[in-house]
Amino acid sequence: MLPWKRVLRPLAALLLTAAVATVPAATASAADAAPSSGWNDFSCKPSADHPRPVVLVHGTLGNSVDNWLSLAPYLEDRGYCVYSLDYGQLTGVPLFYGLGPIDKSAEQLSAFVDKVLAATGAAKADLVGHSQGGMMPRYYLKFLGGAAKVNALVGLAPDNHGATLSGFTNLLPYFPGASDLVKATTPGLADQIPGSDFLAGLNAGGDTVPGVHYTVIATKYDEVATPWQSQYLSGSDVHNVLLQDLCPLDLSEHVAIGLFDRIAFHEVANALDPPRATATTCASAFS
């Protein structure tokens, strides 16, 4: 190993330790203050500086609370009205959502966005999603009229072209009946396997729709939406970002980028408010 790599790895660990240290405070803040400060407070009115409400869309096996204990307060502190929903519930499976058919989950998102827009009086919303939550909204935008109601979609490690789980899904054909079992019991997982009918339909004719600003924030250490390059979108209004291009010391993988990575959060804030964007660097972990 090169000497400089021996130096950088301890520095990276120190950086991430410092960033994680901010999470307990943020978690307590969310639990104590969310209803009165904008997180799922339907009396919240967007400001002139941030005129669009932000809807947070959790990932597979996530939910509207646990996924956002850090990012929701982060955005609230910056003056946004913030909302999150549960979607893709399976009967008899509490807390762990995003498992139902993705087209039906997109219908739930559509209804929730309508509710948020009606409550806030805003013409459009911005969407921020993690993993499946960064990909599923594209169905809403493309097939359910969402493009007229959404200004921007920001995806944190979105599996836009499927999730191979570091190649694990490539083994399914070697186990007779495995693919059918996954589809029957957890259709939301089956929809995310590369080559699925759902993904083929979603990506046919292009990745994006006109009028929506797309941002993808990926990490090269992703072990779920792999290869990480498959997260990127193609289109005229797309900004694809690799986290390690912003901060080479950032070691976040698929889960961490959505749960507590303040470097990624800073880039989310930039995507939501481009005129006020500032450079995202390793120092953004402390901003």
Side-chain angles (χ1 to χ4, degrees), residues 17-281:
T17 299
V20 172
T22 68
V23 173
T27 300
S29 174
D32 296 339
S36 61
S37 58
W39 186 10
N40 277 346
D41 177 5
F42 283 86
S43 68
C44 184
K45 297 300 180 184
S47 66
D49 286 342
H50 301 302
R52 293 179 300 276
V54 178
V55 175
L56 304 178
V57 190
H58 66 74
T60 306
L61 298 176
N63 61 60
S64 61
V65 176
D66 294 337
N67 231 146
W68 307 120
L69 289 174
S70 292
L71 182 56
Y74 182 96
L75 295 175
E76 286 181 84
D77 290 345
R78 284 153 181 78
Y80 289 93
C81 292
V82 182
Y83 303 86
S84 60
L85 77 155
D86 290 318
Y87 70 86
Q89 300 92 332
L90 292 181
T91 302
V93 181
L95 300 178
F96 300 103
Y97 304 134
L99 297 172
I102 296 182
D103 58 343
K104 301 302 181 183
S105 294
E107 293 176 4
Q108 292 180 275
L109 174 62
S110 177
F112 189 80
V113 171
D114 285 349
K115 180 181 177 181
V116 168
L117 294 181
T120 60
K124 291 188 175 184
D126 289 325
L127 308 180
V128 178
H130 176 222
S131 190
Q132 181 190 162
M135 174 271 289
M136 177 269 280
R138 293 177 47 227
Y139 188 94
Y140 162 57
L141 299 177
K142 192 170 187 177
F143 299 114
L144 302 179
K149 303 174 183 180
V150 172
N151 169 72
L153 170 60
V154 183
L156 290 160
D159 55 340
N160 282 313
H161 299 93
T164 69
L165 303 176
S166 298
F168 177 78
T169 59
N170 297 331
L171 300 177
L172 288 175
Y174 297 97
F175 297 89
S179 295
D180 291 338
L181 178 62
V182 172
K183 188 173 183 178
T185 57
T186 52
L189 295 181
D191 285 344
Q192 295 176 76
I193 296 174
S196 70
D197 291 342
F198 174 82
L199 288 172
L202 176 64
N203 294 315
D207 291 344
T208 63
V209 295
V212 180
H213 309 292
Y214 295 84
T215 299
V216 173
I217 305 171
T219 171
K220 68 180 182 181
Y221 299 113
D222 202 304
E223 74 282 24
V224 175
T226 51
W228 62 263
Q229 294 90 338
S230 68
Q231 299 172 26
Y232 282 179
L233 295 172
S234 298
S236 59
D237 197 351
V238 172
H239 182 46
N240 292 313
V241 182
L242 180 63
L243 196 56
Q244 284 71 36
D245 286 343
L246 306 175
C247 175
L249 305 181
D250 197 316
L251 303 180
S252 287
E253 42 66 71
H254 186 80
V255 174
I257 192 175
L259 292 190
F260 58 75
D261 192 316
R262 293 176 69 91
I263 297 170
F265 294 176
H266 188 272
E267 193 64 10
V268 168
N270 282 347
L272 295 176
D273 191 1
R276 296 181 177 84
T278 58
T280 300
T281 67

